[in-house]
Amino acid sequence: MNRKTLVLPAVVGLLAPVLAACGGADSGSGGGDAIVVGTTDRFTATKDAPAPLDPAYAYDVGTWNILRQTVQTLMIQPKGEGEPVPEAAESCGFTDSGSERYACKLRSDLKFSNGDAITAEDVKFSIDRARAIKADSGVFALLSTVDTVETKGDNEVIFHLKTADATFPFKLSTPVAGIVNPDDYEKGKLREGFSVDGSGPYTLKAETDGDEMTKAVFTKNPHYKGTLTVNNDKVDMVSYEDADDMGTALDKGDIDLMTRSMSPEQIQKLSESAADSDIDLVEIGGLEIRYLAFNTDAPEVKTKAVRQAMAQVVDRDHLVSEVYGSQAESLYSLVPASITGHSNSFFNKYGEPSVTKAKDLLAKANISTPVKLTLNYTTDHYGPATKQEFELLKEQLNDSGLFDVTVKGAAWDTFVPAERKGEYEVWGMGWFPDFPDADNYVAPFLDKDNFLKSPYTNSDIINDLIPQSRREADRLSAGKSLTEIQDIVAEDVPLLPLWQGKQYVAANTDITGTAYVLNSSATLQLWELGRGVSN
């Protein structure tokens, strides 16, 4: 069977991308051998991060790929487009006109994977636990608008919010709001290691090598009750050292599907070999963004003019075309172009790259040149092209004559603790949305308790603009506040957006459900996969 490239574009407009129902979306049969999925994500328990899979700690796409399969949430992002729908809940909704009281009724006979009954008290315990632990990953900030959690009987949970928050249903669909068993998770302490116990569609068995999980074995949970149809009995997720090893495993038949992160060269090769390959390539519209973050207290970049000059010099179009080609596009805001509320604030302020304008900015601020900087990046989390991207950024900045830049790479388990401790002045990060709304591209970076631990604060954004945008149930009406936020970011440059990219999955043609294996937040939905014949 010839391979087809299936393109699933992100919609410009409302809340979520539309995943078109096309080849690879057919239901497959359950049973049979495990479906084997390859990834380059690494899962390591370290002294700095001993509890990588605790829902109260985990806050990256790799660990959420584990939790989405195993920990159930009250709400869930739908298979296609639109707002979240009930999952562990039978129904949920705001019960007041001000969007400050949100009530959920649980499904009957909900059980954890060990057979223990789930009650409203377990939901309250789980939410309160994540809020109280306040892990340094910053994931607890997704629940920052919660004031108190109330229960009524065994099956009703009521969330009293501090302020109106129209995005709250989305937040209840994220793993930090996952329901955990108080028998397995201590109230005030993270659960170390790789054990996960929940009520999701799968149970997890982790295979480890020292402090690293090398394989995640997902087995269909017989006690699961929810909205999902599980099309397989077992999925193995295998971690590979790099994209080349993962691609070789797919070619040899050792795995059935590979996902993040493929190299640009692999994607290009697959897209060009339509007539000769038995592999389906699925392309999903890009909600991933990449950006530079600044420690605005660091002497090298404390002066705003330095950050503005970098924004004036960086040539996004050249960066994208040289490294990623058609797999990405230039980004001039933290909010991607396909999300309601996007504004090209950086282009509006800086226009085309200009060394002359950057030189004037530095001169007016009495900054001596060249400005010495180190750009830090992670070597093993965002794909093999990251090193090339940072070498090109270095070249652009140094060729201006205004900067003296070096680049330095580090493994993810070293990189994350270092940036959280403020050891870097400039570093590169990626962002996959927790949910597809503009709020999730501004609040995690700019609100109180931002996950980057950035010293940058803006009282107008925190006290006025973010709360204003959250009061708007019609997200189109939030545009004015969101545009103001993006304009402030372009002026102050606490972060420098670079590009937004597409997501890809490559699978053998007998694997079905690939069109829906990634949700609108680019996290895996392994229950969609089956074996059969894709179109």
Side-chain angles (χ1 to χ4, degrees):
M1 180 178 295
N2 291 337
R3 184 199 56 76
K4 303 167 294 303
T5 299
L6 312 177
V7 182
L8 309 178
V11 70
V12 177
L14 299 177
L15 288 176
V18 175
L19 304 186
C22 50
D26 298 345
S27 295
S29 60
D33 296 335
I35 295 172
V36 185
V37 173
T39 180
T40 59
D41 284 322
R42 315 294 288 180
F43 306 96
T44 307
T46 66
K47 181 180 178 181
D48 289 313
L53 299 183
D54 192 315
Y57 176 85
Y59 203 15
D60 64 75
V61 69
T63 53
W64 276 21
N65 279 340
I66 304 294
L67 295 177
R68 291 280 188 192
Q69 326 308 318
T70 51
V71 178
Q72 195 175 20
T73 49
L74 291 171
M75 303 290 285
I76 195 169
Q77 294 181 30
K79 184 173 182 177
E81 60 181 293
E83 299 183 4
V85 296
E87 166 57 358
E90 179 182 285
S91 62
C92 284
F94 285 105
T95 61
D96 66 330
S97 59
S99 299
E100 293 182 0
R101 187 179 186 274
Y102 195 80
C104 293
K105 182 179 179 181
L106 299 184
R107 293 182 180 276
S108 59
D109 299 324
L110 280 176
K111 295 179 180 179
F112 289 110
S113 58
N114 67 355
D116 289 352
I118 295 175
T119 69
E121 282 296 330
D122 297 319
V123 178
K124 174 178 168 59
F125 168 85
S126 303
I127 300 292
D128 286 346
R129 175 178 179 269
R131 293 169 60 223
I133 288 176
K134 289 191 174 183
D136 65 3
S137 65
V139 70
F140 69 92
L142 283 169
L143 304 172
S144 63
T145 55
V146 175
D147 186 16
T148 58
V149 184
E150 175 189 359
T151 63
K152 284 191 175 182
D154 286 340
N155 69 343
E156 188 174 3
V157 185
I158 301 169
F159 299 92
H160 299 277
L161 307 183
K162 300 173 186 175
T163 59
D165 186 359
T167 68
F168 189 65
F170 275 106
K171 293 169 182 175
L172 287 183
S173 74
T174 62
V176 70
I179 307 167
V180 298
N181 193 333
D183 290 344
D184 298 317
Y185 293 81
E186 293 185 42
K187 183 176 181 179
K189 182 181 177 182
L190 292 172
R191 183 179 184 180
E192 298 183 3
F194 300 106
S195 295
V196 180
D197 292 284
S199 56
Y202 296 98
T203 61
L204 170 70
K205 179 182 178 182
E207 295 186 10
T208 60
D209 181 4
D211 292 332
E212 184 172 351
M213 182 172 71
T214 55
K215 180 191 288 188
V217 179
F218 298 103
T219 303
K220 189 174 180 179
N221 175 12
H223 295 295
Y224 168 72
K225 289 183 181 294
T227 61
L228 305 175
T229 299
V230 183
N231 292 318
N232 56 71
D233 292 330
K234 188 177 181 182
V235 178
D236 293 346
M237 182 189 292
V238 181
S239 292
Y240 286 89
E241 186 72 28
D242 54 43
D244 288 339
D245 288 348
M246 181 172 64
T248 299
L250 182 66
D251 290 339
K252 291 170 58 179
D254 293 339
I255 61 176
D256 299 296
L257 179 149
M258 66 177 179
T259 176
R260 51 170 278 123
S261 295
M262 289 182 269
S263 70
E265 292 78 16
Q266 285 175 320
I267 295 166
Q268 183 68 22
K269 182 179 178 181
L270 285 169
S271 67
E272 291 174 350
S273 59
D276 304 313
S277 176
D278 288 328
I279 296 173
D280 285 335
L281 181 68
V282 181
E283 174 189 300
I284 300 173
L287 292 181
E288 173 194 8
I289 69 169
R290 296 286 179 87
Y291 60 94
L292 295 179
F294 295 93
N295 177 357
T296 54
D297 279 350
E300 299 88 347
V301 294
K302 187 171 185 177
T303 302
K304 180 170 67 173
V306 174
R307 308 193 300 270
Q308 290 179 325
M310 291 178 68
Q312 187 66 75
V313 168
V314 168
D315 187 339
R316 296 168 176 81
D317 289 348
H318 181 245
L319 181 72
V320 168
S321 64
E322 287 294 310
V323 181
Y324 298 100
S326 62
Q327 299 162 29
E329 58 185 281
S330 298
L331 180 64
Y332 295 92
S333 168
L334 289 175
V335 181
S338 47
I339 292 289
T340 297
H342 164 81
S343 174
N344 280 322
S345 297
F346 273 80
F347 189 83
N348 296 340
K349 181 168 179 60
Y350 300 99
E352 297 293 341
S354 170
V355 173
T356 300
K357 291 180 180 179
K359 185 176 181 180
D360 288 344
L361 286 166
L362 295 172
K364 288 177 182 178
N366 296 315
I367 301 296
S368 299
T369 58
V371 179
K372 297 192 70 170
L373 293 172
T374 300
L375 302 187
N376 296 272
Y377 69 94
T378 177
T379 57
D380 60 350
H381 193 69
Y382 296 122
T386 307
K387 180 179 180 180
Q388 182 186 354
E389 176 183 346
F390 273 74
E391 290 290 347
L392 190 52
L393 282 170
K394 168 188 169 181
E395 180 181 310
Q396 289 184 2
L397 292 166
N398 287 351
D399 284 353
S400 73
L402 303 175
F403 296 93
D404 180 6
V405 170
T406 58
V407 295
K408 185 177 180 181
W412 184 247
D413 58 359
T414 300
F415 177 84
V416 172
E419 62 93 357
R420 287 179 183 164
K421 293 174 183 175
E423 295 178 9
Y424 301 150
E425 63 256 26
V426 189
W427 68 101
M429 291 286 284
W431 180 252
F432 296 84
D434 307 321
F435 50 90
D437 185 274
D439 178 84
N440 195 239
Y441 287 93
V442 295
F445 307 99
L446 304 169
D447 207 352
K448 290 179 291 188
D449 298 317
N450 70 82
F451 88 102
L452 288 174
K453 302 294 184 289
S454 171
Y456 173 82
T457 58
N458 183 287
S459 59
D460 289 339
I461 291 176
I462 293 171
N463 298 327
D464 298 322
L465 296 174
I466 288 176
Q468 285 174 19
S469 71
R470 288 174 174 168
R471 281 195 286 270
E472 301 293 346
D474 178 359
R475 302 308 286 157
L476 288 169
S477 300
K480 184 176 183 296
S481 300
L482 292 166
T483 297
E484 287 187 48
I485 293 171
Q486 292 166 84
D487 288 346
I488 292 171
V489 172
E491 170 64 30
D492 292 351
V493 200
L495 305 115
L496 179 56
L498 297 172
W499 55 267
Q500 66 183 80
K502 302 169 185 176
Q503 300 300 305
Y504 295 88
V505 169
N508 292 325
T509 51
D510 68 336
I511 298 299
T512 61
T514 54
Y516 291 108
V517 72
L518 291 179
N519 69 8
S520 54
S521 296
T523 50
L524 289 169
Q525 302 180 140
L526 297 178
W527 55 85
E528 297 288 349
L529 299 177
R531 291 190 186 276
V533 179
S534 65
N535 291 331

